[in-house]
Amino acid sequence: MGAVSKLTDAVLFLFFLTVALAAPLIDGQTILPSDLYPTFLVDLKSWYATEFGDYLVAEKPHFFVGLVWLELVFQWPLALICLYGLVASKPWLNTTCLIYGS
């Protein structure tokens, strides 16, 4: 049972680390000016939009911008809190993961 718990913690850590890095660096370009980001991040986002035909990222419709705002205001800080809870083995981690999932 301990191995399953450690594997779950590792998967959660990778997931929350990905969200903690990608949300401000990639999704933040949707609502903030591109001048604030290094050129390689802007190029990465434009490559993704053209390569995979993601019209939401390319055209930035209003509802998508609203969803990105919600992600950066609510989901991103909660991902940071969950990362801290995983690293520090806090007892409230289950609650924050449940809040994140809902």
Side-chain angles (χ1 to χ4, degrees):
M1 187 66 177
V4 173
S5 177
K6 293 293 183 189
L7 179 64
T8 304
D9 287 348
V11 169
L12 283 174
F13 181 80
L14 288 174
F15 173 75
F16 287 128
L17 185 64
T18 302
V19 170
L21 294 175
L25 296 178
I26 304 298
D27 293 340
Q29 294 180 37
T30 303
I31 57 175
L32 297 173
S34 297
D35 300 341
L36 297 176
Y37 293 94
T39 55
F40 74 92
L41 286 176
V42 175
D43 292 342
L44 176 68
K45 185 177 176 188
S46 65
W47 170 82
Y48 167 77
T50 56
E51 183 71 22
F52 295 101
D54 193 344
Y55 73 95
L56 294 175
V57 174
E59 296 177 13
K60 300 178 189 176
H62 295 298
F63 78 92
F64 182 67
V65 173
L67 288 174
V68 170
W69 270 110
L70 287 173
E71 179 185 11
L72 290 177
V73 170
F74 296 109
Q75 192 176 9
W76 181 63
L78 198 55
L80 294 176
I81 291 169
C82 288
L83 268 176
Y84 171 70
L86 274 169
V87 171
S89 298
K90 296 293 183 181
W92 43 259
L93 176 65
N94 293 338
T95 305
T96 56
C97 285
L98 183 63
I99 293 169
Y100 187 90
S102 64

